Amino acid sequence: MPLSVLILNGPNLNLLGTRQPEVYGTTTLADIERDCRSKAETLGFEIEFRQSNGEGALIDLIHAARGRHAGLILNAGAYTHTSIALMDAISSVELPTVEVHLSNIHRREPFRHQSYISKVALGQICGFGAFGYQMALDALAHHLRRPA
Ligand code: DHK
């Protein structure tokens, strides 16, 4: 049975491609999903790829991932910087989580430097645009095959 990974995207990421392309690039979320699907195939993973603008909906998806997915890749958008509830959801389901951001949040406004997700994630990948999702899949594959 192949391992399954949930790739979860938060608010405003549905607008990728047209949203501030100088910050987030011109790749759409559909492009990212397509590239994640082919990368996952090479790694022998199944993936579920989702996006929601709602904090509660994201929390529900994380809860539902327990027992169904072996790991989580999360770009929580702006909730990264504000959501103790998302952080608690990840702790509650105990899923190995890789945090992703397209932009380098540490080079941006100070309010973006703080991440609640980092406190419960295996690690954070940021600043490499859409390629960060590919890196996250590799990181999760490495972790799941050789847990620390
Ligand atoms: C995406 C967002 O929507 C922002 O709110 C974050 C993140 C950064 C990204 O770079 O993918 O601050």
Side-chain angles (χ1 to χ4, degrees), residues 11-13 19 24 75 77-78 81 100-103 105 108 112:
N12 302 308
L13 294 168
R19 173 196 183 199
Y24 297 108
N75 184 348
H81 318 299
V100 175
H101 302 286
L102 296 136
S103 64
I105 57 174
R108 299 183 63 193
R112 293 186 205 273

Side-chain angles (χ1 to χ4, degrees), residues 22-69:
E22 70 287 1
V23 177
Y24 297 108
T26 53
T27 309
T28 67
L29 197 61
D31 294 332
I32 293 175
E33 176 173 0
R34 184 202 57 219
D35 291 348
C36 283
R37 290 199 179 282
S38 46
K39 174 77 177 175
E41 208 174 309
T42 68
L43 293 170
F45 283 162
E46 277 179 359
I47 60 166
E48 179 181 356
F49 193 96
R50 301 292 290 266
Q51 188 274 334
S52 175
N53 292 318
E55 188 176 11
L58 293 166
I59 291 167
D60 288 342
L61 286 163
I62 291 169
H63 290 177
R66 184 177 219 160
R68 293 181 49 214
H69 296 289

Side-chain angles (χ1 to χ4, degrees), residues 57-113:
L58 293 166
I59 291 167
D60 288 342
L61 286 163
I62 291 169
H63 290 177
R66 184 177 219 160
R68 293 181 49 214
H69 296 289
L72 172 66
I73 292 172
L74 176 62
N75 184 348
Y79 293 139
T80 302
H81 318 299
T82 60
S83 183
I84 296 169
L86 269 174
M87 176 184 75
D88 283 351
I90 295 165
S91 300
S92 304
V93 300
E94 296 178 332
L95 272 185
T97 298
V98 179
E99 176 184 4
V100 175
H101 302 286
L102 296 136
S103 64
N104 182 348
I105 57 174
H106 303 288
R107 280 177 60 169
R108 299 183 63 193
E109 304 95 321
F111 62 81
R112 293 186 205 273
H113 299 176

